[in-house]
Amino acid sequence: MFKKMEFAQANTVRTAAVSRRVAQIAAWLNVAFLLLAITGHIWPRVALLAIAQCGFIACIYYSELSRFSAKVPWLLLAACWFAVANAVFTNGAGIGHVTLLWFVILVCIAGLLGGLRLGLYWAGIGSVSILAVVACDVLGIPIPNFTPEPQRYGLALMHTIAQMVCMAGTISAYSRTLEIYQRQVEEQILTVTKEVEQRKKAEIEAQLTAKNKEQFLRNISHEFRTPLNSIIGFSERLLKKYRAMPELVKPLSAINRNGKSLHYFVSELLLLDAIEATPLQLTRACPAELIHSCCELYRDLALEHELALRLTIEPACLQFCVMLDVARMSQALNNILLFCIRQSGRGVIELRVEYTVDALVIIFEDNAQALTQAQREHLFETHYEYVLSNDKDVPCSAFALKIAGLIMGYHNWQVRVESGETAASCTTQGLDRRGNLDKRGNRFVVSIPLVMSSKA
């Protein structure tokens, strides 16, 4: 679209400049013929030449780029046609070399102004005009010759000189066209060169920024993990040593749990950067099998927190495979399930794989505190802050859902959060601190377009 606009603008500039140059030359030539007709009191020729002169003056005015339109070349050519019609009545009232050459020059000017199409249009108009004069001659219809006998030779000579001037002017206009095109090409080359230099500079800066970011994350990882490993390790040793002292177990457990949460956060921060930096490794796999593996992987972890994972897969879903990065998509599904485990209380987490007309749907239903509308809309956004439950040792940080959303976005999968208050598993409701009904349950829905899938 941008290229078309550039070409259209360049063509407009060229046509306007050429129209102005041709109109100026034709107007000066027409003045000589108009004065000769006035002094000879040949009023039909005066009328034709006056119409032509008005057209030339209008073309000069409207050839300014701010006033130019596509009608200007037609106005200029129409004025030229009236000037050529004057030649018909000064050339022995018939077809001669003067008249024919004027029509040829008219067609050349049309081609120069509007290209092949406009040239063909005016070739047709000129042919019809010539045929009309020939038909009058063949049928014996007299065409008056308004030029007195003593002036005919001199007037024919003037037409010949004017034709030579017009041809020279046409060549000059053509040269002007080439100059305009050359200048525009040079400007475009200069613009493209500047853009290439700017892009190279931006690419170098982006590479440097990415390198600095990677180095920064590595340093952060090292600086965080080293003390965190000590905190986690020593807190576990102290927990084993002072297990019989309740007043120490609780704070030590909090230290251990928070240390692990921060460790998970650093790991997932590095994972998020790695996902954005490396391409997908696509292979054909069955989403239903992936969610089954995910469920089996964390079933024992869920039981530790008094949660049962209930998986239901419709038989038809096992027939479909899609192109995906198995490792990353497994990570995404694991992150959603771990989020549900971390946020849910005692009870059941439902997992279902369903088949619809145009998609496979994976559903996670937990019994956690119901999310607000704003939380459901922004939960998967990278910069949205959501505070996780911090009383469970579950390998899941605040970046878990961001990573899942990013991976699924790369696969053109859709993920959204809905209210799960009507779900059968969400029967745990009570009162919050203010005495209001404590609504529970969220539904995470992952849609996999079948247009990208095929039967196994």
Side-chain angles (χ1 to χ4, degrees):
M1 187 65 181
F2 179 75
K3 289 183 178 180
K4 290 183 179 179
M5 293 177 62
E6 287 289 328
F7 281 120
Q9 179 65 21
N11 190 56
T12 300
V13 173
R14 179 192 68 84
T15 307
V18 174
S19 299
R20 187 175 182 83
R21 178 67 62 86
V22 172
Q24 289 172 342
I25 295 172
W28 282 110
L29 291 174
N30 197 61
V31 167
F33 289 99
L34 181 59
L35 292 175
L36 184 63
I38 292 174
T39 56
H41 302 286
I42 308 174
W43 304 118
R45 283 176 49 202
V46 170
L48 290 172
L49 293 171
I51 294 173
Q53 190 68 11
C54 292
F56 294 140
I57 294 173
C59 287
I60 294 173
Y61 176 78
Y62 286 107
S63 292
E64 289 292 337
L65 192 59
S66 60
R67 297 185 289 265
F68 185 79
S69 69
K71 297 179 181 179
V72 172
W74 282 92
L75 178 61
L76 175 59
L77 293 168
C80 291
W81 187 89
F82 278 95
V84 174
N86 167 70
V88 173
F89 297 109
T90 61
N91 189 43
I95 295 298
H97 70 281
V98 172
T99 304
L100 290 175
L101 189 55
W102 272 126
F103 278 113
V104 171
I105 293 174
L106 179 63
V107 174
C108 292
I109 294 173
L112 182 62
L113 291 175
L116 178 61
R117 178 177 296 182
L118 191 61
L120 291 176
Y121 285 156
W122 279 92
I125 294 172
S127 299
V128 171
S129 302
I130 293 172
L131 289 175
V133 175
V134 172
C136 291
D137 188 38
V138 171
L139 296 175
I141 301 174
I143 300 176
N145 189 343
F146 298 109
T147 306
E149 184 68 31
Q151 295 182 3
R152 291 181 182 179
Y153 177 78
L155 197 58
L157 183 61
M158 283 184 63
H159 276 288
T160 303
I161 295 173
Q163 288 170 349
M164 295 175 65
V165 173
C166 279
M167 285 188 285
T170 303
I171 295 172
S172 173
Y174 179 72
S175 301
R176 174 65 174 166
T177 300
L178 294 180
E179 291 177 4
I180 294 173
Y181 271 130
Q182 183 176 0
R183 185 173 67 252
Q184 290 173 345
V185 169
E186 291 174 353
E187 291 175 355
Q188 289 292 333
I189 291 175
L190 182 62
T191 302
V192 171
T193 302
K194 290 182 178 178
E195 290 180 356
V196 170
E197 292 177 354
Q198 291 175 355
R199 290 182 180 181
K200 287 183 178 179
K201 183 178 179 180
E203 185 178 353
I204 294 173
E205 291 178 353
Q207 291 176 352
L208 181 60
T209 301
K211 185 177 180 180
N212 292 337
K213 177 184 174 182
E214 183 180 357
Q215 186 63 40
F216 172 76
L217 289 175
R218 287 180 181 177
N219 294 339
I220 286 291
S221 173
H222 175 74
E223 296 297 331
F224 270 84
R225 286 183 175 181
T226 300
L228 283 175
N229 289 332
S230 299
I231 292 171
I232 294 170
F234 284 119
S235 61
E236 288 178 350
R237 291 181 61 182
L238 291 172
L239 279 172
K240 292 179 181 179
K241 184 175 182 179
Y242 298 104
R243 190 180 300 274
M245 301 175 65
E247 65 277 9
L248 293 179
V249 170
K250 187 174 181 179
L252 289 174
S253 298
I255 293 172
N256 182 263
R257 183 174 60 251
N258 284 290
K260 288 183 178 179
S261 295
L262 189 55
H263 190 278
Y264 301 146
F265 176 82
V266 173
S267 299
E268 290 183 353
L269 181 63
L270 293 173
L271 178 61
L272 184 64
D273 180 67
I275 291 172
E276 294 176 339
T278 56
L280 298 176
Q281 303 294 326
L282 298 178
T283 56
R284 191 173 298 277
C286 177
E289 294 179 358
L290 284 185
I291 194 63
H292 179 269
S293 300
C294 172
C295 184
E296 292 301 318
L297 179 63
Y298 293 109
R299 190 178 297 277
D300 292 339
L301 178 64
L303 290 175
E304 291 179 8
H305 298 284
E306 302 182 31
L307 283 165
L309 302 183
R310 186 183 299 164
L311 175 62
T312 305
I313 301 176
E314 293 183 0
C317 299
L318 296 171
Q319 302 177 7
F320 291 92
C321 293
V322 297
M323 297 299 295
L324 53 82
D325 188 319
V326 176
R328 291 187 179 178
M329 189 53 67
S330 298
Q331 179 72 47
L333 296 174
N334 291 346
N335 285 1
I336 296 177
L337 181 56
L338 288 171
F339 179 86
C340 293
I341 293 174
R342 180 162 185 170
Q343 299 299 102
S344 297
R346 300 175 182 177
V348 177
I349 295 178
E350 294 277 356
L351 295 91
R352 299 196 304 276
V353 185
E354 301 175 350
Y355 169 71
T356 62
V357 176
D358 57 352
L360 291 179
V361 180
I362 301 175
I363 300 173
F364 301 79
E365 289 187 356
D366 61 20
N367 60 8
Q369 176 69 37
L371 298 169
T372 64
Q373 178 67 27
Q375 289 173 335
R376 290 198 297 270
E377 291 177 354
H378 304 289
L379 194 60
F380 287 92
E381 295 178 1
T382 305
H383 300 291
Y384 182 73
E385 182 178 359
Y386 180 78
V387 180
L388 299 177
S389 173
N390 202 31
D391 58 354
K392 291 183 179 180
D393 185 8
V394 176
C396 173
S397 77
F399 274 124
L401 293 184
K402 283 70 174 176
I403 292 173
L406 184 66
I407 293 173
M408 291 181 179
Y410 285 162
H411 288 78
N412 293 322
W413 292 17
Q414 296 180 355
V415 57
R416 66 182 185 276
V417 187
E418 300 174 350
S419 175
E421 297 165 13
T422 60
S425 62
C426 300
T427 57
T428 306
Q429 294 190 356
L431 297 178
D432 61 14
R433 295 179 180 178
R434 299 182 179 180
N436 300 320
L437 183 63
D438 186 16
K439 298 180 180 180
R440 307 190 70 82
N442 302 288
R443 183 186 297 113
F444 294 81
V445 181
V446 180
S447 298
I448 308 168
L450 288 182
V451 69
M452 300 175 60
S453 63
S454 61
K455 290 189 176 182

